Amino acid sequence: MADKELEIVRTVIDAHNSDLARWYAAGDIDAVAAVFARMPGRCYRTHLRWLVVRQFEDFGPRRSLGRWQFSLESQHAEVSGSLAIERGKYRLQFTAGPAAPPG
């Protein structure tokens, strides 16, 4: 793959990852879950979507306890025809707020 093509793919991946982190921070469950609804493998995407919705249901009422910060970092990308595969890491961090119990 030409360096220019890989650069374009990485730009799209980085923009997508930024959108996902922003939607997560905003509590936009529909936008976050929609990402998983487009993944290959029906069972896999259904399970991932369920996990995302469940997490928001669990933590949503507790948002007053603090702030969740989610970020994605792309480390490697490959392209084969019309398919792009990304490998990276994510970080989910909780910062306690004034309403959080001690400890």
Side-chain angles (χ1 to χ4, degrees):
M1 161 175 277
D3 288 340
K4 185 65 174 173
E5 289 173 318
L6 185 56
E7 183 181 326
I8 291 168
V9 167
R10 289 191 68 88
T11 299
V12 170
I13 289 170
D14 290 342
H16 186 268
N17 288 347
S18 293
D19 287 343
L20 189 56
R22 187 179 73 252
W23 296 330
Y24 189 94
D28 189 345
I29 182 61
D30 292 328
V32 173
V35 170
F36 297 102
R38 293 188 305 263
M39 289 185 150
R42 182 183 172 115
C43 181
Y44 180 69
R45 71 177 177 239
T46 301
H47 182 70
L48 283 174
R49 187 186 188 292
W50 178 84
L51 286 173
V52 169
V53 170
R54 179 80 176 142
Q55 180 189 28
F56 271 84
E57 287 172 350
D58 285 349
F59 294 118
R62 296 181 232 168
R63 281 187 168 266
S64 64
L65 299 179
R67 192 181 104 197
W68 286 98
Q69 185 175 8
F70 176 67
S71 62
L72 294 158
E73 179 186 335
S74 180
Q75 296 177 314
H76 180 77
E78 291 184 32
V79 176
S80 178
S82 62
L83 179 66
I85 298 173
E86 172 205 14
R87 184 180 72 227
K89 61 183 178 179
Y90 72 92
R91 180 181 176 137
L92 184 58
Q93 181 178 347
F94 179 75
T95 304

